[in-house]
Structure formats: C-alpha cells, structure tokens
C-alpha cells in the first residue's frame, strides 16, 4: 500500500484537476454541446491549465526557483500560484464564459479564490495542501452538479471523488509532504469557495 499511495498524488495533482472537472461537466451535460465544441473547450483548458504551467515549471526549475513538481516548499509556491491566478482569469474571461458554461465558470471562480487564499497564506508562511484544495474543490463541484442535473449515474462519481479525498490525503502523509493540519487547511480552502459560488448556479 505504501508503494501505491504516492500514485494518487500524481494522478490527482492540482495541474490536472481543472481538466477532470471540465471533462466531468461536459460529459454529464453533454446534450447541451456538440462534440466539436467539447473538443475545442477542452483543448483550450488543457493548454491553459496543464501545458502552460508545465512549461513554466520547467523554466522555474532550470533557474532554481523550484525543485519539484510537488512544490513542497512554501517559499517556492508564490510565483506558480500567481501564474495560476492569471491563467484562471484568462479562462473565465475568454473561454469558460458565464453565458455558455455557467456551472464551470463558477467552478473556476471558486478555484481562483482558493488559489488567492493559498497565495496569501504562503506570504504568511502558512502551508496548505494544494492537492487537498484541488480534490476537495472538485468533489464539491461534482456534488453540486449531481444536485443540479439529477443524473443518477453521477452519484457513483460523487462517491468516487469523496473516496479520493481520503486517498490523496493519505498519499500526502505517506510522502511526508504535509501534516494533518496542512491537509485540513487545504480541505477547507478547497471547499468553502466552491460552496460560496455554488449558490450562484444551484
């Protein structure tokens, strides 16, 4: 089990959560969009939330500003978190617009607020688990969509994401990346903004 747990830290790395949320949303609200539109919006989200941050990470690593993709040191998180804020703003203003994708739009706004809180805490030298922020935010979004769309099969995905919260938390503890306190802080930072913005679309 000790060898398996770290896998969850990579599979549910914060970089990938936006793509997971977008695919989940487009799949269960699939009748509202044609396939070409789904591919187009997913491609944009993939570039902005995965490819650009990964290229930026390689740049930061080559200059010695970060030493791992997990960004365990609080001091190394500031630049990536600022970049993430700008990329989310770009998404909600240009791609995931409220008139076309209201639920996903508010998910990204919740993610933006979570990122800003994590950034502020990093300046205060308080470390929050970015993994827990990401997976807990995705879970609340999935629960909200389940209530909103009332698709029976979605219930299994909600249960799966709730279970993944436990596995991700266990993974971070197993890798000695976080304390219990840091995991709880991350959990709350991920949940609260998503709950706040859920009121706008539920």
């Amino acid at each position: 089990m000790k060898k398996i747990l770290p896998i969850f830290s990579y599979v549910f790395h914060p970089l990938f959560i936006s793509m997971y949320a977008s695919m989940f949303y487009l799949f269960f609200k699939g009748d509202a969009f044609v396939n070409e539109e789904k591919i187009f919006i997913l491609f944009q989200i993939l570039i902005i939330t995965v490819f650009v941050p990964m290229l930026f990470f390689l740049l930061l690593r080559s200059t010695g500003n970060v030493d791992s993709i997990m960004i365990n040191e609080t001091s190394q998180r500031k630049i990536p978190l600022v970049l993430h804020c700008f990329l989310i703003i770009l998404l909600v203003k240009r791609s995931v617009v409220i008139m076309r994708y209201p639920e996903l739009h508010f998910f990204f706004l919740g993610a933006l607020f979570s990122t800003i809180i994590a950034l502020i805490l990093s300046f205060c030298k308080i470390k929050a688990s970015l993994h827990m922020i990401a997976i807990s935010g995705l879970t609340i979004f999935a629960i909200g969509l389940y209530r909103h769309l009332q698709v029976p099969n979605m219930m299994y995905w909600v249960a799966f994401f709730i279970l993944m919260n436990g596995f991700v938390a266990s993974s971070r503890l197993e890798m000695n990346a976080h304390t219990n306190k840091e995991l709880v802080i991350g959990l709350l930072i991920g949940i609260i903004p998503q709950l706040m913005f859920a009121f706008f679309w539920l």
Side-chain angles (χ1 to χ4, degrees), residues 3-4 16 22 30 36 52 55 58 73 75 82 98 104 114 120 154 169 199:
K3 292 182 179 179
I4 296 173
F16 306 132
S22 302
E36 290 79 6
V52 171
L55 290 172
L58 293 173
E73 295 298 324
S75 59
V82 169
I98 190 171
L104 194 59
S114 293
I120 293 170
M154 197 182 291
F199 284 107

Side-chain angles (χ1 to χ4, degrees), residues 165-194:
N165 276 263
F167 277 112
V168 170
S170 299
S171 174
R172 303 310 287 154
L173 289 173
E174 179 62 32
M175 296 174 74
N176 295 316
H178 291 290
T179 63
N180 287 325
K181 179 182 177 182
E182 291 165 355
L183 293 174
V184 171
I185 292 172
L187 185 73
L188 293 175
I189 295 173
I191 288 174
I192 294 173
Q194 289 298 333

Side-chain angles (χ1 to χ4, degrees), residues 86-98 105 109:
F86 280 112
L87 291 175
I88 294 177
I89 292 170
L90 177 64
L91 263 180
V92 297
K93 287 183 72 69
R94 298 294 182 183
S95 300
V96 188
V97 293
I98 190 171
H105 179 87
L109 284 181

Side-chain angles (χ1 to χ4, degrees), residues 70-82:
M70 295 298 176
I71 316 180
N72 292 321
E73 295 298 324
T74 308
S75 59
Q76 297 178 359
R77 295 180 166 198
K78 296 170 186 175
I79 297 175
L81 287 174
V82 169

